[in-house]
Amino acid sequence: MIVRKVTDRWMWVTPPLAIVLLVFTLGQHPPGAVVAVASVVLAGAVLAAVHHAEVVAHRVGEPFGSLVLALAVTVIEVALIVTLMAGGGEKSATLARDTVFAAVMITCNGIVGLSILFGSLRHGIAVFRAEGTGSALSTIATLATLSLVLPNFTTSAPGPEFSTPQLVFAAVAALLLYGLFVATQTVRHRDYFLPVTKHGVVVHTEEHAEAPSGRATLASLGVLLLALVGVVGLAKVISPTIESGVEAAGMPHAVVGVVIALLVLLPETIAALRAARRDRLQTSLNLAFGSTMASIGLTVPAVAIASYWLSGPLVLGLGASHMVLLALTLVVATLTVIPGRATPLQGGLHLAVLAAFLELAVVP
């Protein structure tokens, strides 16, 4: 009981502590001891974010709970991308593309693969609704192709870039498609995104602890946002140390973006794995695919608007090896989704694609 009370207090104290630490360290080069403290507080903020996201999800139910966490993380991530682009000069030309693609690989292969592996090893076969998950995957395929592949084949602008009219079209299309999916997920076909039992019975309500009050939910929502700001901000604070380590190891600079993306996506990863352990793989997939769509659907419009006052080019087109990995991801994910049931094999396939992405990031 005492341990639980201490843990509950830690979940409320850590996010404000992360914000305070962020205020004193952002934009500086803190010494190693401060970076170590920031890393510990960041880990605590991640756990706090997961806890408060689950409180909110318990109150509002699925798929709204998954949507809240995915959307909150992505909005803060987009703000960080635009901020870095504003001060990055020519080096920031590929920042949005690299960050979005890393998020796609981590969510569609890392979170999905681990969730399937955890769920199927624990419960035999992991089940989900192919109708909802399939529509999410098709939206991801359309968004990724229009935003990250098509720039390589246009001729109005040099290189893998959009001309201004093309960029406007891509931004509007991304925003509209994401909005259409959210409306489908939360209003017209909400049942398609609810967890199911092994016998195909839709789980409308969870039979466990009483739902929190509205006041407690709002408090958790506020602390959740603080925790997410702390996670993203402290990831930025420790990034110079990560960058120095990457350079010392002789690895490409792109590895830094991958590491930062892994840190930022930690709250969703932990939340997805907890859902998979409870035999709620649909919730895990809602988190993973929802985060992917939000990352593309919100980042592309944001950087399109920002490009009007930012100097330098905006490169969105993927390289050849990354297009191959994207195509492989979509094929494997499609074959995973179609049956509505998954075994450890499917989880292993997704993790193999993620491993290939990480290996190519280190050794291009």
Side-chain angles (χ1 to χ4, degrees), residues 203-335:
V203 181
H204 290 276
T205 57
E206 297 285 357
E207 297 178 358
H208 52 72
E210 183 180 353
S213 65
R215 183 176 181 180
T217 303
L218 288 176
S220 284
L221 180 60
V223 177
L224 168 63
L225 295 177
L226 285 180
L228 294 175
V229 171
V231 169
V232 177
L234 291 179
K236 170 61 179 172
V237 168
I238 68 176
S239 63
T241 303
I242 297 173
E243 186 172 357
S244 299
V246 168
E247 291 178 356
M251 293 184 287
H253 189 267
V255 174
V256 177
V258 176
V259 174
I260 298 301
L262 287 169
L263 291 174
V264 170
L265 290 169
L266 264 178
E268 288 166 297
T269 303
I270 296 175
L273 294 182
R274 286 185 173 183
R277 290 190 63 185
R278 300 196 311 269
D279 201 17
R280 297 293 182 261
L281 183 61
Q282 184 64 57
T283 300
S284 303
L285 298 180
N286 290 345
L287 281 166
F289 290 150
S291 178
T292 305
M293 280 182 286
S295 184
I296 303 174
L298 297 180
T299 300
V300 173
V303 298
I305 295 173
S307 66
Y308 280 97
W309 73 80
L310 297 178
S311 59
L314 176 61
V315 177
L316 289 177
L318 296 172
S321 61
H322 284 172
M323 284 194 292
V324 171
L325 287 176
L326 177 61
L328 181 59
T329 296
L330 294 176
V331 170
V332 172
T334 300
L335 296 177

Side-chain angles (χ1 to χ4, degrees), residues 12-13 17 28 44 94 106 143 200 215 218 281 311 333:
W12 289 96
V13 171
L17 179 61
Q28 302 180 15
T94 61
I106 293 168
L143 286 171
R215 183 176 181 180
L218 288 176
L281 183 61
S311 59

Side-chain angles (χ1 to χ4, degrees), residues 46-223:
V46 167
L47 296 176
V50 174
H51 168 77
H52 291 289
E54 290 181 341
V55 172
V56 175
H58 189 189
R59 172 69 181 185
V60 301
E62 281 297 319
F64 298 100
S66 302
L67 182 63
V68 168
L69 181 57
L71 195 57
V73 169
T74 306
V75 168
I76 298 171
E77 181 183 357
V78 169
L80 177 61
I81 292 173
V82 174
T83 301
L84 292 175
M85 289 180 65
E90 292 291 331
K91 294 182 179 179
S92 67
T94 61
L95 178 63
R97 178 200 68 184
D98 294 342
T99 304
V100 169
F101 185 66
V104 171
M105 290 292 103
I106 293 168
T107 52
C108 288
N109 290 308
I111 297 179
V112 170
L114 286 173
S115 297
I116 291 175
L117 198 61
F118 271 49
S120 57
L121 287 176
R122 187 177 180 88
H123 303 284
I125 295 179
V127 295
F128 53 91
R129 298 209 63 173
E131 303 94 330
T133 310
S135 63
L137 185 59
S138 63
T139 306
I140 291 171
T142 303
L143 286 171
T145 302
L146 291 179
S147 302
L148 303 177
V149 177
L150 194 58
N152 290 317
F153 302 97
T154 57
T155 57
S156 299
E161 302 174 33
F162 276 138
S163 65
T164 299
Q166 292 167 345
L167 182 60
V168 171
F169 168 78
V172 173
L175 201 57
L176 290 177
L177 287 174
Y178 180 64
L180 180 60
F181 174 81
V182 170
T184 301
Q185 183 186 36
T186 58
V187 181
R188 295 191 61 87
H189 299 287
R190 179 171 173 257
D191 283 357
Y192 289 176
F193 300 90
L194 295 177
V196 291
T197 67
K198 286 185 173 57
H199 303 291
V201 178
V202 177
V203 181
H204 290 276
T205 57
E206 297 285 357
E207 297 178 358
H208 52 72
E210 183 180 353
S213 65
R215 183 176 181 180
T217 303
L218 288 176
S220 284
L221 180 60
V223 177

Side-chain angles (χ1 to χ4, degrees), residues 10 14-15 17-19 21 36-47 230-231 234:
W10 178 252
T14 306
L17 179 61
I19 297 299
L21 185 60
V37 172
S39 301
V40 173
V41 175
L42 186 149
V46 167
L47 296 176
V231 169
L234 291 179

